Amino acid sequence: TADGATVKNISFDNAYVNNVASQAASQKHHGFLAGVVKGTCTFENIFIDAYQSYNSAHAEAYIGGICGYGNDGASLTFKNCIVNGTIDAANATKVGGIYGGPANANCSTVMIDCINYADVEGNDQVSGLMGAVKNSVTYTNCASFGQVNVKGDNAVTGEYVVNGTCSTVGHYDTNSSKLEYGEHFDVL
């Protein structure tokens, strides 16, 4: 857990994480640097090249390449962060190349100059940048180039190059069986 932390200037090259399923609800959220964040946290100048495997026993797990879950009221800033490699979280429902997602709309997220090259796999709400979008998110000069693979039949956000704010980047329409992009997206 990171509580009001600033994490800066860290690089991991050719790293490996294999997280075995935990039955404890308090241990269901995972990220390479932080599973759960509270308060105001900043991740800056982070480079992660890793194979990350998360076999979660919880369907509501939040998994991120850097950070998994933002607690109620968390304010997160990701600046100049790059994630490369693979994030394999096939059982998890909120999976992002950079960030799994926030608890609710009381959280805020800002991503500046962030790039995801990692291939990301999850069961639902999977994205190259941020899995679950429940709050207003501001993206500036961010991109995701990794492959996004969803095992379930619901929301894939799948953004590629993003500048702007959004409340939902995309969703899977079960009535028409098609993926729709750009829902509620405003370009700055």
Side-chain angles (χ1 to χ4, degrees):
T1 300
D3 190 351
T6 297
V7 181
K8 294 174 72 170
N9 305 324
I10 296 177
S11 178
F12 295 91
D13 193 16
N14 202 25
Y16 178 79
V17 174
N18 184 16
N19 187 287
V20 179
S22 170
Q23 296 300 323
S26 63
Q27 297 174 359
K28 67 183 177 180
H29 308 305
H30 304 283
F32 193 87
L33 293 178
V36 177
V37 294
K38 300 176 181 178
T40 300
C41 292
T42 301
F43 296 91
E44 185 174 353
N45 299 327
I46 307 295
F47 174 77
I48 297 173
D49 181 12
Y51 175 81
Q52 302 178 53
S53 176
Y54 300 99
N55 184 11
S56 178
H58 299 276
E60 288 295 313
Y62 288 70
I63 309 295
I66 293 175
C67 168
Y69 177 78
N71 238 12
D72 183 24
S75 176
L76 279 78
T77 299
F78 298 89
K79 185 175 182 183
N80 195 31
C81 295
I82 298 172
V83 176
N84 191 28
T86 301
I87 300 169
D88 180 2
N91 297 329
T93 57
K94 292 149 182 76
V95 184
I98 305 284
Y99 177 33
N104 53 42
N106 294 331
C107 302
S108 66
T109 307
V110 174
M111 288 192 192
I112 303 167
D113 299 328
C114 293
I115 300 174
N116 174 58
Y117 293 105
D119 293 337
V120 182
E121 181 174 352
N123 190 45
D124 188 9
Q125 298 182 45
V126 183
S127 166
L129 295 174
M130 182 171 161
V133 179
K134 297 181 181 179
N135 59 341
S136 178
V137 181
T138 301
Y139 296 103
T140 304
N141 297 324
C142 296
S144 180
F145 300 103
Q147 183 177 24
V148 175
N149 184 19
V150 176
K151 295 221 170 234
D153 62 355
N154 205 357
V156 120
T157 55
E159 65 280 302
Y160 289 101
V161 178
V162 179
N163 284 295
T165 60
C166 67
S167 57
T168 304
V169 177
H171 69 278
Y172 183 84
D173 183 346
T174 55
N175 293 324
S176 65
S177 297
K178 70 177 186 177
L179 187 62
E180 298 176 356
Y181 290 97
E183 199 69 19
H184 307 294
F185 191 81
D186 301 314
V187 176
L188 295 177

PDB file of all heavy atoms in Angstrom, residues 74-90:
ATOM      1  N   ALA A  74      -8.616   8.773  -3.568  1.00  0.00           N
ATOM      2  CA  ALA A  74      -7.221   8.823  -4.019  1.00  0.00           C
ATOM      3  C   ALA A  74      -7.067   9.772  -5.204  1.00  0.00           C
ATOM      4  O   ALA A  74      -7.947   9.896  -6.045  1.00  0.00           O
ATOM      5  CB  ALA A  74      -6.727   7.436  -4.400  1.00  0.00           C
ATOM      6  N   SER A  75      -5.931  10.444  -5.245  1.00  0.00           N
ATOM      7  CA  SER A  75      -5.584  11.326  -6.356  1.00  0.00           C
ATOM      8  C   SER A  75      -4.239  10.857  -6.903  1.00  0.00           C
ATOM      9  O   SER A  75      -3.220  10.980  -6.226  1.00  0.00           O
ATOM     10  CB  SER A  75      -5.492  12.771  -5.865  1.00  0.00           C
ATOM     11  OG  SER A  75      -5.060  13.609  -6.905  1.00  0.00           O
ATOM     12  N   LEU A  76      -4.252  10.309  -8.106  1.00  0.00           N
ATOM     13  CA  LEU A  76      -3.041   9.737  -8.681  1.00  0.00           C
ATOM     14  C   LEU A  76      -2.568  10.516  -9.890  1.00  0.00           C
ATOM     15  O   LEU A  76      -3.371  10.921 -10.726  1.00  0.00           O
ATOM     16  CB  LEU A  76      -3.288   8.289  -9.128  1.00  0.00           C
ATOM     17  CG  LEU A  76      -3.219   7.233  -8.036  1.00  0.00           C
ATOM     18  CD1 LEU A  76      -4.484   7.224  -7.221  1.00  0.00           C
ATOM     19  CD2 LEU A  76      -2.974   5.895  -8.660  1.00  0.00           C
ATOM     20  N   THR A  77      -1.254  10.707  -9.948  1.00  0.00           N
ATOM     21  CA  THR A  77      -0.626  11.306 -11.117  1.00  0.00           C
ATOM     22  C   THR A  77       0.461  10.361 -11.602  1.00  0.00           C
ATOM     23  O   THR A  77       1.306   9.915 -10.823  1.00  0.00           O
ATOM     24  CB  THR A  77      -0.006  12.672 -10.782  1.00  0.00           C
ATOM     25  OG1 THR A  77      -1.033  13.552 -10.336  1.00  0.00           O
ATOM     26  CG2 THR A  77       0.691  13.275 -11.999  1.00  0.00           C
ATOM     27  N   PHE A  78       0.402  10.042 -12.882  1.00  0.00           N
ATOM     28  CA  PHE A  78       1.429   9.249 -13.544  1.00  0.00           C
ATOM     29  C   PHE A  78       2.091  10.165 -14.563  1.00  0.00           C
ATOM     30  O   PHE A  78       1.424  10.700 -15.440  1.00  0.00           O
ATOM     31  CB  PHE A  78       0.811   8.044 -14.269  1.00  0.00           C
ATOM     32  CG  PHE A  78       0.106   7.087 -13.347  1.00  0.00           C
ATOM     33  CD1 PHE A  78      -1.240   7.260 -13.054  1.00  0.00           C
ATOM     34  CD2 PHE A  78       0.785   6.016 -12.785  1.00  0.00           C
ATOM     35  CE1 PHE A  78      -1.902   6.376 -12.218  1.00  0.00           C
ATOM     36  CE2 PHE A  78       0.125   5.134 -11.943  1.00  0.00           C
ATOM     37  CZ  PHE A  78      -1.215   5.305 -11.658  1.00  0.00           C
ATOM     38  N   LYS A  79       3.399  10.366 -14.424  1.00  0.00           N
ATOM     39  CA  LYS A  79       4.108  11.280 -15.320  1.00  0.00           C
ATOM     40  C   LYS A  79       5.365  10.594 -15.858  1.00  0.00           C
ATOM     41  O   LYS A  79       6.183  10.095 -15.085  1.00  0.00           O
ATOM     42  CB  LYS A  79       4.480  12.566 -14.587  1.00  0.00           C
ATOM     43  CG  LYS A  79       5.105  13.602 -15.478  1.00  0.00           C
ATOM     44  CD  LYS A  79       5.336  14.904 -14.745  1.00  0.00           C
ATOM     45  CE  LYS A  79       5.929  15.925 -15.696  1.00  0.00           C
ATOM     46  NZ  LYS A  79       6.224  17.181 -15.019  1.00  0.00           N
ATOM     47  N   ASN A  80       5.481  10.580 -17.185  1.00  0.00           N
ATOM     48  CA  ASN A  80       6.634   9.986 -17.853  1.00  0.00           C
ATOM     49  C   ASN A  80       6.850   8.531 -17.411  1.00  0.00           C
ATOM     50  O   ASN A  80       7.928   8.157 -16.967  1.00  0.00           O
ATOM     51  CB  ASN A  80       7.899  10.817 -17.611  1.00  0.00           C
ATOM     52  CG  ASN A  80       8.996  10.437 -18.576  1.00  0.00           C
ATOM     53  OD1 ASN A  80       8.742  10.037 -19.700  1.00  0.00           O
ATOM     54  ND2 ASN A  80      10.235  10.544 -18.124  1.00  0.00           N
ATOM     55  N   CYS A  81       5.795   7.746 -17.523  1.00  0.00           N
ATOM     56  CA  CYS A  81       5.855   6.330 -17.154  1.00  0.00           C
ATOM     57  C   CYS A  81       5.754   5.467 -18.408  1.00  0.00           C
ATOM     58  O   CYS A  81       4.953   5.745 -19.294  1.00  0.00           O
ATOM     59  CB  CYS A  81       4.705   5.983 -16.206  1.00  0.00           C
ATOM     60  SG  CYS A  81       4.800   6.839 -14.612  1.00  0.00           S
ATOM     61  N   ILE A  82       6.574   4.422 -18.454  1.00  0.00           N
ATOM     62  CA  ILE A  82       6.573   3.497 -19.589  1.00  0.00           C
ATOM     63  C   ILE A  82       6.501   2.072 -19.044  1.00  0.00           C
ATOM     64  O   ILE A  82       7.270   1.698 -18.164  1.00  0.00           O
ATOM     65  CB  ILE A  82       7.843   3.657 -20.448  1.00  0.00           C
ATOM     66  CG1 ILE A  82       7.913   5.071 -21.031  1.00  0.00           C
ATOM     67  CG2 ILE A  82       7.876   2.606 -21.563  1.00  0.00           C
ATOM     68  CD1 ILE A  82       9.219   5.380 -21.737  1.00  0.00           C
ATOM     69  N   VAL A  83       5.560   1.296 -19.586  1.00  0.00           N
ATOM     70  CA  VAL A  83       5.443  -0.113 -19.220  1.00  0.00           C
ATOM     71  C   VAL A  83       5.601  -0.941 -20.496  1.00  0.00           C
ATOM     72  O   VAL A  83       4.986  -0.647 -21.515  1.00  0.00           O
ATOM     73  CB  VAL A  83       4.082  -0.418 -18.544  1.00  0.00           C
ATOM     74  CG1 VAL A  83       3.943  -1.906 -18.257  1.00  0.00           C
ATOM     75  CG2 VAL A  83       3.937   0.384 -17.256  1.00  0.00           C
ATOM     76  N   ASN A  84       6.436  -1.961 -20.420  1.00  0.00           N
ATOM     77  CA  ASN A  84       6.705  -2.848 -21.540  1.00  0.00           C
ATOM     78  C   ASN A  84       6.624  -4.283 -21.039  1.00  0.00           C
ATOM     79  O   ASN A  84       6.775  -4.534 -19.847  1.00  0.00           O
ATOM     80  CB  ASN A  84       8.102  -2.557 -22.096  1.00  0.00           C
ATOM     81  CG  ASN A  84       8.346  -3.248 -23.420  1.00  0.00           C
ATOM     82  OD1 ASN A  84       7.421  -3.505 -24.178  1.00  0.00           O
ATOM     83  ND2 ASN A  84       9.606  -3.565 -23.683  1.00  0.00           N
ATOM     84  N   GLY A  85       6.392  -5.228 -21.922  1.00  0.00           N
ATOM     85  CA  GLY A  85       6.369  -6.633 -21.547  1.00  0.00           C
ATOM     86  C   GLY A  85       4.988  -7.237 -21.681  1.00  0.00           C
ATOM     87  O   GLY A  85       4.298  -7.028 -22.678  1.00  0.00           O
ATOM     88  N   THR A  86       4.558  -7.959 -20.635  1.00  0.00           N
ATOM     89  CA  THR A  86       3.266  -8.643 -20.639  1.00  0.00           C
ATOM     90  C   THR A  86       2.610  -8.516 -19.273  1.00  0.00           C
ATOM     91  O   THR A  86       3.275  -8.674 -18.247  1.00  0.00           O
ATOM     92  CB  THR A  86       3.454 -10.147 -20.955  1.00  0.00           C
ATOM     93  OG1 THR A  86       4.077 -10.271 -22.225  1.00  0.00           O
ATOM     94  CG2 THR A  86       2.130 -10.886 -20.958  1.00  0.00           C
ATOM     95  N   ILE A  87       1.300  -8.248 -19.284  1.00  0.00           N
ATOM     96  CA  ILE A  87       0.507  -8.277 -18.059  1.00  0.00           C
ATOM     97  C   ILE A  87      -0.578  -9.324 -18.289  1.00  0.00           C
ATOM     98  O   ILE A  87      -1.513  -9.112 -19.056  1.00  0.00           O
ATOM     99  CB  ILE A  87      -0.103  -6.906 -17.739  1.00  0.00           C
ATOM    100  CG1 ILE A  87       1.011  -5.876 -17.551  1.00  0.00           C
ATOM    101  CG2 ILE A  87      -1.002  -6.991 -16.499  1.00  0.00           C
ATOM    102  CD1 ILE A  87       0.527  -4.454 -17.499  1.00  0.00           C
ATOM    103  N   ASP A  88      -0.423 -10.456 -17.640  1.00  0.00           N
ATOM    104  CA  ASP A  88      -1.333 -11.586 -17.802  1.00  0.00           C
ATOM    105  C   ASP A  88      -2.188 -11.701 -16.551  1.00  0.00           C
ATOM    106  O   ASP A  88      -1.742 -12.182 -15.520  1.00  0.00           O
ATOM    107  CB  ASP A  88      -0.527 -12.862 -18.028  1.00  0.00           C
ATOM    108  CG  ASP A  88      -1.396 -14.092 -18.216  1.00  0.00           C
ATOM    109  OD1 ASP A  88      -2.637 -13.963 -18.217  1.00  0.00           O
ATOM    110  OD2 ASP A  88      -0.820 -15.190 -18.353  1.00  0.00           O
ATOM    111  N   ALA A  89      -3.417 -11.228 -16.645  1.00  0.00           N
ATOM    112  CA  ALA A  89      -4.352 -11.267 -15.515  1.00  0.00           C
ATOM    113  C   ALA A  89      -5.702 -11.766 -16.019  1.00  0.00           C
ATOM    114  O   ALA A  89      -6.730 -11.108 -15.874  1.00  0.00           O
ATOM    115  CB  ALA A  89      -4.459  -9.882 -14.890  1.00  0.00           C
ATOM    116  N   ALA A  90      -5.699 -12.944 -16.608  1.00  0.00           N
ATOM    117  CA  ALA A  90      -6.865 -13.463 -17.320  1.00  0.00           C
ATOM    118  C   ALA A  90      -8.123 -13.562 -16.464  1.00  0.00           C
ATOM    119  O   ALA A  90      -9.227 -13.470 -16.984  1.00  0.00           O
ATOM    120  CB  ALA A  90      -6.539 -14.826 -17.920  1.00  0.00           C
TER     121      ALA A  90
END
